[in-house]
Amino acid sequence: MRDADDVIANVRRGMLPAHIYNDAEVFEAEKERLFSRAWMFVAHESELPQVGDYVVRRVMENSFIVSRDQSGEIHAMFNMCLHRGMQVCRAEQGNASHFRCPYHGWSYKNDGRIVGMPFHKEAYGGEEGFARKGQRLLPAPSLGIYNGLIFVSMDPDAEPLEDFLGDFKFYLDYYTKQSASGVEIRGPQRWRVKANWKIGAENFAGDMYHTPQTHTSVVEIGLFREPKAEKRKDGNTYWAGKGGGTTYKLPPGTFEEKMSYVGYPDEMIERMKEQWSQEQVDVIGRDGFMISAASVFPNISLVHNWPKVAEGDDVLPFISIRQWQPISADETEVLSWFVVDKEAPEEFKKLSYKAYLMCFGSSGMFEQDDVENWVSLTNTAGGSMARRLLLNGRMGMLHDDSPVVQPLTEDEFCGPGVAHVGYGEYNQRHLLNEWADYLEKPAPVTENIHVGAPNVDGECSSETAAQCSSEKAEA
C-alpha cells in the first residue's frame, strides 16, 4: 500500500484519507493483513438444528461448509476436495451425512473425514500410495462460538474468540441471549451494494449524527415514536472490547416500563430479567439507555429498533445481524439475518419479522436511505481528488484531542467500556484504529499442508504424522 505510514498516522488522529474508501491497494492490504487474522461470523447454531444440517459460507474468497456432525459437534471445513480441488458441496444449505466430489467421486463424512476414494487400490496402490486414514477436508484454522454465533478465523494462532470480543460480550447478550433457549435466526437475505465495506461497519458502530438527516422521510411519516429522532441525540455511544454501538434515551420509569415502551410483552421482559446480569438490567432500567445499533470489528453489525408496524402507537422491536462481506474496494455483499428469542410468542415473531423487513431488509426503508449515501461516497473516493483530501472524522474531539463532553461515569452508565452522550465519532475512530492496528501487522505465516503423502523432505504433515509414522515402522 502506497504511503501506508501516512495513511495510518492520519487515521489515528481522526483525519481520514478519503481514498481508503475506494482503493485497490488498501483493499489488498486488508485482505492480506486484516481478514487473514480477524474473527469472522459465518453462521448461527440455530441454522443447524439437526444432525447433518449444513450451510456454506465464505470468508473472503474461501468457501467453508459449516456442519453439525453425527455426534452434534459443529465443524467449519474448507469446501475443496483434497484430490483436484473441486467444491464438494455446491448447495447453499441442506442436510447430508456425506459430501461427494462430483469430479472424481471422493467422498467425505459431514465431520470432514475422507471415507471414499474410487479405485483406491488400483489407482494409488492403496494406503501405501495414498494414506487415506486420518485425512479430512481442511478445517478452518480457528473456530469459536459465542451465544450460538459461529465465528471462523483464518489465523491458526488467533486469540480465543471470547478474549477477542472482550467486554463487548456484555452488549452482545442483549441481542442474542433474551432467554435460556437463546435465539433463532431467519435468512440470510443477500444483496450487493457498490460501496466499500468499512462505511456500513462505521455507520452501525456509532453514526447517530446521520439519523435526522438521512432518514428524514422515515421520521416524517411517523414510523418511530420519537419525534425528529431527538432521542438519538440524548442517547450515547459506547465502545468496549472489539465492538461498540449506540443507544436511545428512554423516558423515565422502571425496567419493565421501559421494555414495554419499546414493545416487548411482559413474558419476554420477565425472561430477560432472569437471563441478564443486574448490570445489564441497570443499563436500561436505572440508566435509561436502550441498546440500538452496533458493530463488532471488523465487519459484523447488529440492529435493535422498534418501529410502528400498523396504525396506532404500538411499536414492535426487532433484531438483525448482518455481515459486510467485502467483494472489492468498491463493492460489498450484505448478508442479513433476522434474530428473535426462541421463546417469544409466535405472534410477536411474526410482527417482529415484519418490522425487520420494513426497516432493514433488502428493500427496507432505512436500508435504501443509507445505501444511496454509501454508494455516492465510494464513487467519489475513487477519484484522483480524493487522494488530496483528509476527511474530518474528529467529531466529539477538541483541537487538543480532549472530548467535547466527558465520558459518562459509572453512576450514569454501568455498562463496561467508555460511553459519551450526544453526537460524536468516538466509535468510528475506535473501529478505524483497530483497522490500523491490523494493517501494521505482517500477514500470518502459513505452512503447506500435504495430503496423503510425505512432503519433499520426507516428513508427514501434522494431520497425517501418526499414520505415516506407523506405516514407516511397519515398513
Side-chain angles (χ1 to χ4, degrees):
M1 183 171 69
R2 288 178 293 172
D3 57 16
D5 291 343
D6 285 345
V7 167
I8 288 173
N10 282 317
V11 164
R12 292 202 187 284
R13 67 188 184 96
M15 298 304 295
L16 313 177
H19 70 88
I20 67 171
Y21 296 104
N22 190 353
D23 185 312
E25 285 185 87
V26 171
F27 183 66
E28 287 304 311
E30 291 170 346
K31 286 169 61 177
E32 180 184 270
R33 301 188 175 202
L34 167 56
F35 292 107
S36 64
R37 286 189 186 278
W39 285 98
M40 304 278 281
F41 173 67
V42 290
H44 187 270
E45 283 187 319
S46 67
E47 294 181 274
L48 315 166
Q50 307 296 326
V51 164
D53 285 347
Y54 69 86
V55 296
V56 172
R57 299 280 155 73
R58 289 189 298 110
V59 177
M60 300 304 288
E61 301 94 342
N62 305 296
S63 173
F64 285 94
I65 306 168
V66 185
S67 69
R68 188 182 293 277
D69 71 16
Q70 301 308 110
S71 65
E73 187 177 352
I74 300 288
H75 299 268
M77 306 168 291
F78 186 40
N79 187 11
M80 188 176 199
C81 181
L82 299 178
H83 176 218
R84 302 301 294 165
M86 273 291 292
Q87 283 191 322
V88 297
C89 183
R90 309 294 293 277
E92 199 164 315
Q93 62 182 37
N95 183 284
S97 60
H98 295 76
F99 301 105
R100 182 176 178 275
C101 175
Y103 198 0
H104 298 96
W106 288 31
S107 56
Y108 306 83
K109 294 196 71 168
N110 57 15
D111 63 3
R113 286 179 292 165
I114 187 168
V115 291
M117 292 174 61
F119 310 109
H120 184 211
K121 180 69 175 177
E122 295 89 337
Y124 289 95
E127 290 289 323
E128 186 176 351
F130 186 102
R132 184 176 61 180
K133 188 175 181 181
Q135 297 291 344
R136 61 177 62 237
L137 294 173
L138 295 187
S142 293
L143 176 70
I145 301 176
Y146 183 76
N147 283 356
L149 302 165
I150 304 168
F151 290 75
V152 160
S153 170
M154 303 298 288
D155 183 359
D157 298 319
E159 63 180 317
L161 175 63
E162 293 209 14
D163 293 348
F164 174 84
L165 294 171
D167 283 341
F168 190 76
K169 296 195 298 292
F170 179 95
Y171 300 99
L172 202 49
D173 290 351
Y174 289 110
Y175 304 95
T176 56
K177 199 173 75 173
Q178 295 191 340
S179 75
S181 299
V183 296
E184 60 188 40
I185 69 177
R186 193 181 304 183
Q189 288 188 318
R190 298 172 186 267
W191 63 93
R192 290 193 178 190
V193 295
K194 291 293 289 180
N196 185 271
W197 68 272
K198 294 188 290 295
I199 304 171
E202 287 181 42
N203 180 285
F204 279 60
D207 198 333
M208 300 198 298
Y209 190 57
H210 83 293
T211 304
Q213 315 304 324
T214 296
H215 303 300
T216 298
S217 60
V218 176
V219 174
E220 285 180 348
I221 64 173
L223 191 66
F224 290 95
R225 273 184 170 155
E226 292 78 16
K228 300 181 181 178
E230 287 176 356
K231 296 300 177 186
R232 252 343 203 176
K233 179 166 60 68
D234 299 331
N236 72 41
T237 57
Y238 63 87
W239 186 271
K242 280 294 191 294
T246 65
T247 76
Y248 278 91
K249 186 69 174 176
L250 296 173
T254 64
F255 172 78
E256 289 82 358
E257 289 168 339
K258 288 168 180 161
M259 294 299 288
S260 180
Y261 174 81
V262 301
Y264 283 105
D266 292 344
E267 62 179 283
M268 292 185 71
I269 296 171
E270 286 305 309
R271 282 193 286 269
M272 290 179 210
K273 275 180 68 179
E274 294 171 2
Q275 201 61 31
W276 293 343
S277 69
Q278 187 59 52
E279 289 76 13
Q280 288 169 322
V281 170
D282 285 347
V283 164
I284 299 169
R286 189 200 74 177
D287 302 333
F289 293 107
M290 179 59 79
I291 301 304
S292 180
S295 288
V296 184
F297 180 82
N299 62 336
I300 305 156
S301 292
L302 305 110
V303 190
H304 176 216
N305 222 316
W306 40 94
K308 298 176 184 176
V309 294
E311 291 296 325
D313 290 332
D314 291 341
V315 294
L316 249 298
F318 72 87
I319 293 171
S320 174
I321 298 175
R322 62 172 49 195
Q323 183 186 53
W324 313 100
Q325 180 77 257
I327 301 298
S328 65
D330 65 355
E331 187 169 16
T332 302
E333 183 175 64
V334 182
L335 281 73
S336 178
W337 293 263
F338 167 70
V339 180
V340 68
D341 175 27
K342 273 185 182 174
E343 298 185 37
E346 289 305 315
E347 183 64 13
F348 176 90
K349 291 180 181 180
K350 177 182 169 184
L351 292 174
S352 182
Y353 185 60
K354 180 179 178 180
Y356 155 71
L357 290 178
M358 207 166 67
C359 294
F360 281 103
S362 55
S363 58
M365 287 183 278
F366 281 84
E367 192 67 31
Q368 300 304 309
D369 289 343
D370 285 328
V371 167
E372 181 65 23
N373 290 332
W374 302 345
V375 170
S376 176
L377 191 168
T378 301
N379 283 338
T380 310
S384 59
M385 287 296 289
R387 285 203 165 269
R388 307 180 185 190
L389 181 60
L390 298 178
L391 304 171
N392 190 305
R394 291 173 56 89
M395 187 188 300
M397 194 158 61
L398 301 174
H399 280 299
D400 63 357
D401 294 347
S402 61
V404 173
V405 295
Q406 292 300 314
L408 295 175
T409 66
E410 290 183 4
D411 291 336
E412 296 169 313
F413 184 75
C414 63
V418 179
H420 297 81
V421 164
Y423 297 134
E425 290 168 326
Y426 312 101
N427 288 2
Q428 293 94 318
R429 290 193 290 274
H430 280 300
L431 193 136
L432 286 175
N433 269 317
E434 294 280 351
W435 175 85
D437 288 346
Y438 275 81
L439 261 58
E440 285 184 321
K441 297 176 185 174
V445 177
T446 57
E447 297 179 354
N448 291 334
I449 299 173
H450 299 259
V451 177
N455 63 23
V456 292
D457 298 321
E459 300 296 328
C460 296
S461 70
S462 58
E463 291 199 353
T464 60
Q467 174 68 17
C468 192
S469 298
S470 172
E471 289 181 353
K472 285 179 179 176
E474 289 174 4

